[in-house]
């Protein structure tokens, strides 16, 4: 298994871009870029990721045995690894919300992002992870404060970011080497950590129906009131209270 090498930087635009540059320069699997803050942190679907000082903001280079069009597989693996390590190392009982959110008591604690990068014959996955660790909720813009939480708020004390990041990346490296053959098992584990199935959901703000299952790739199957099923490949999911 490749070794994890941490590079800690101050303020960057996005660790995703630094990791891409490192891959172009020939750095290998296990390279991890950690930033103190990000000016242009990004989330899924072009959203902005607010990254105040104190959080665990990092990107890791992996070389999983998958094709470019299967990059969603890395995102599911990353969500699973982050959720497991938060439980094992910090005792935090967070849950996954399809497809890439990690929620604690209904608020966003962490998010993961997977981007593909082809350099000559080699396919790299750049995995981005943001965990709101040693950050006060007040450090986020007011419009987000209702929806985010942090380990500091939950535990009442700071955690060490670097050991946490190392554990997450080691788990990712270990499991990504068999991402092709183990994917059905990874999805089963992902689903067991996920609280989306069974809930009534909206997709991008529009009421969609009840989340009933994941398909074999991890896409979400939703049934509307009439029982018509549809497959959601991407989108932001919100939970809808039902009477
Ligand atoms: C999401 O929930 O939409 C994914 C958020 C991923 C954020 C992390 S922070 C480190 C890395 N650098 C980025 O610009 N984004 C990821």
């Amino acid at each position: 298994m490749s070794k994890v090498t941490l590079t800690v930087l101050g303020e960057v635009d996005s660790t995703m871009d630094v990791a891409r540059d490192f891959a172009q320069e020939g750095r290998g699997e296990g390279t991890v870029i950690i930033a103190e803050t990000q000016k242009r942190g990004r989330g899924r679907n072009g959203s902005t990721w607010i990254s105040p000082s104190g959080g665990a903001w990092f990107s890791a280079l992996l070389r999983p045995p998958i094709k470019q069009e299967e990059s969603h597989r890395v995102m599911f693996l990353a969500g699973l690894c982050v959720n497991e390590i938060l439980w094992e190392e910090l005792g935090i009982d967070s849950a996954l919300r399809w497809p890439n959110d990690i929620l604690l008591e209904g608020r966003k604690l962490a998010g993961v992002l997977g981007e593909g990068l082809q350099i000559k014959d080699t396919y790299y996955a750049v995995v981005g992870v943001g965990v709101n660790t040693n950050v006060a909720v007040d450090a986020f813009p007011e419009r987000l404060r209702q929806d985010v939480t942090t380990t500091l708020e939950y535990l009442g004390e700071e955690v060490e970011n670097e050991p946490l990041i190392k554990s997450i990346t080691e788990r990712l490296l270990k499991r990504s080497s068999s991402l092709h053959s183990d994917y059905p098992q990874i999805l089963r584990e992902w689903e067991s950590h996920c609280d989306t199935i069974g809930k009534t959901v909206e997709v991008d703000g529009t009421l969609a129906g009840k989340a009933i299952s994941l398909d074999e790739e991890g896409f979400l199957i939703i049934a509307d009131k009439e029982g018509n099923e549809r497959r959601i490949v991407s989108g932001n999911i919100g939970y809808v209270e039902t009477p």
Side-chain angles (χ1 to χ4, degrees):
M1 192 175 90
S2 307
K3 260 184 62 189
V4 173
T5 344
L6 307 182
T7 299
V8 184
L9 302 174
E11 183 173 76
V12 299
D13 278 347
S14 163
T15 57
M16 300 303 280
D17 298 332
V18 182
R20 282 173 170 273
D21 291 345
F22 274 37
Q24 300 281 4
E25 288 163 14
R27 302 285 194 101
E29 185 176 57
T31 297
V32 180
I33 313 300
I34 306 172
E36 169 69 22
T37 57
Q38 302 181 108
K39 280 189 286 187
R40 291 187 188 80
R42 58 181 181 263
R44 226 169 30 94
N45 296 335
S47 62
T48 300
W49 183 262
I50 308 287
S51 324
S53 174
W57 324 124
F58 68 99
S59 297
L61 285 181
L62 302 180
R63 286 181 57 184
I66 57 168
K67 302 189 201 93
Q68 180 109 31
E69 61 271 22
E70 294 170 329
S71 62
H72 54 272
R73 293 185 174 199
V74 181
M75 183 184 69
F76 285 111
L77 176 63
L80 176 63
C81 293
V82 173
N83 206 51
E84 282 179 347
I85 297 292
L86 286 174
W87 169 250
E88 290 169 24
E89 304 218 340
L90 303 180
I92 287 182
D93 198 7
S94 46
L96 296 164
R97 178 175 64 187
W98 191 89
N100 70 328
D101 296 329
I102 293 162
L103 301 186
L104 177 61
E105 297 177 333
R107 293 173 171 201
K108 188 141 170 171
L109 176 68
V112 297
L113 187 66
E115 293 179 355
L117 176 64
Q118 189 77 37
I119 301 177
K120 296 192 182 130
D121 292 340
T122 307
Y123 173 75
Y124 288 90
V126 184
V127 178
V129 179
V131 187
N132 302 332
T133 51
N134 308 318
V135 187
V137 169
D138 283 355
F140 291 89
E142 200 170 346
R143 66 189 154 81
L144 296 179
R145 288 183 200 156
Q146 282 295 317
D147 300 322
V148 300
T149 191
T150 73
T151 62
L152 180 64
E153 165 154 314
Y154 184 73
L155 299 172
E157 61 183 15
E158 296 211 341
V159 300
E160 281 190 79
N161 282 338
E162 280 182 34
L164 190 69
I165 291 170
K166 193 157 179 274
S167 299
I168 292 169
T169 313
E170 279 170 351
R171 180 73 52 93
L172 265 170
L173 278 173
K174 184 160 165 231
R175 297 212 64 180
S176 66
S177 60
S178 52
L179 189 53
H180 186 71
S181 52
D182 275 356
Y183 193 56
Q185 171 63 20
I186 287 166
L187 269 188
R188 271 195 296 278
E189 290 174 39
W190 192 93
E191 195 168 347
S192 74
H193 288 248
C194 166
D195 70 357
T196 307
I197 307 302
K199 290 218 165 67
T200 299
V201 298
E202 48 182 33
V203 181
D204 296 330
T206 304
L207 184 62
K210 192 168 183 175
I212 54 173
S213 59
L214 299 181
D215 75 1
E216 68 289 350
E217 273 307 314
F219 299 129
L220 188 64
I221 309 296
I222 290 186
D224 68 16
K225 276 209 302 278
E226 285 74 40
N228 303 312
E229 292 184 10
R230 80 184 158 108
R231 189 172 86 127
I232 311 294
V233 172
S234 78
N236 292 315
I237 295 290
Y239 295 154
V240 179
E241 298 281 328
T242 45

